[in-house]
Amino acid sequence: MSAPVPYTQYDPTGQMLVTPQDRDAPARVARLRELGIENVPVPEFDAFARNLARELGAPYAMVNFIDENRQYFAGLFTPADDQPGVELEPQQGASTGRVMARDHGWCPHVVVRRRALVLEDVCDYPRFAGNPVVDEIGIRSYLGAPLIDWNSGIALGTICVIDTDIRPWGREGLEIIKANAREMVDLLHQREDRGGI
């Protein structure tokens, strides 16, 4: 019988994978401060998310930074930003806005794995199908890539797109999200050069 993967924890019932352990979180938070990234919307990142959604034909896109307790979408695009559609909010009606619990979604897994993650149908993966955003928001597909800082080597966060329908992202989608992640890291370093402006 094999031991569990070291970066994971399981809930008390042993049935659902929960958020992976993130030993880099304190260093990430410190590095984000150095880069001038705070828990405020960044118009440049909103524009980046909008372009990412359009390039991949996705209804939602995020530039997401993760600390010890939560995720913050410094860049966010939803259908309501540009076209008719539903808000990114739990079906019970309480809006997530730009903040999401760390145990929601798949970005924390991408940060810990330090690799892109392609989920064309999250329900095909027992490891990911039980995530709260499946039932609360109705997300069925996810495509995300880590933002690896050149200087520290830390995964600072992610960029991602999601859909409430099954999506065949394919190899092309994977290459697009990875190329955009590199571009977003470039933008982060340009912000640092400008003093976080």
Side-chain angles (χ1 to χ4, degrees):
M1 185 166 153
S2 62
V5 177
Y7 70 80
T8 60
Q9 294 178 323
Y10 293 86
D11 74 351
T13 68
Q15 296 176 6
M16 184 179 88
L17 182 74
V18 294
T19 309
Q21 293 177 5
D22 184 0
R23 293 180 178 90
D24 288 339
R28 176 180 313 109
V29 170
R31 182 64 179 131
L32 288 171
R33 282 191 195 116
E34 290 175 5
L35 290 167
I37 303 298
E38 301 175 11
N39 289 335
V40 296
V42 178
E44 184 178 18
F45 296 172
D46 284 343
F48 186 94
R50 181 180 61 249
N51 292 335
L52 181 63
R54 288 180 177 159
E55 188 172 359
L56 285 162
Y60 303 96
M62 294 91 170
V63 177
N64 186 12
F65 298 104
I66 301 170
D67 65 22
E68 295 97 330
N69 304 307
R70 64 184 189 157
Q71 306 175 65
Y72 184 76
F73 305 129
L76 177 63
F77 176 82
T78 71
D81 294 332
D82 194 56
Q83 67 221 28
V86 297
E87 292 287 347
L88 180 62
E89 64 182 31
Q91 293 173 2
Q92 293 83 357
S95 176
T96 59
R98 288 183 180 261
V99 177
M100 186 176 283
R102 208 177 151 274
D103 65 346
H104 283 52
W106 301 279
C107 288
H109 294 272
V110 171
V111 165
V112 171
R113 290 165 32 112
R114 300 171 54 83
R115 291 190 321 236
L117 179 62
V118 180
L119 301 173
E120 295 183 347
D121 181 354
V122 298
C123 294
D124 286 344
Y125 303 88
R127 177 178 183 183
F128 298 116
N131 195 283
V133 298
V134 176
D135 292 330
E136 292 177 13
I137 303 173
I139 296 173
R140 284 299 297 272
S141 60
Y142 171 92
L143 176 63
L147 303 172
I148 308 293
D149 180 35
W150 307 329
N151 296 332
S152 66
I154 295 170
L156 300 171
T158 68
I159 59 167
C160 69
V161 291
I162 59 174
D163 203 330
T164 54
D165 293 322
I166 296 168
R167 288 291 304 270
W169 305 111
R171 173 141 317 267
E172 182 181 2
L174 176 62
E175 293 307 318
I176 288 170
I177 200 80
K178 289 165 66 174
N180 275 274
R182 290 188 294 271
E183 183 180 332
M184 185 69 228
V185 173
D186 288 344
L187 289 175
L188 290 171
H189 285 278
Q190 290 169 19
R191 281 177 56 87
E192 184 176 32
D193 293 343
R194 295 190 310 258
I197 297 171

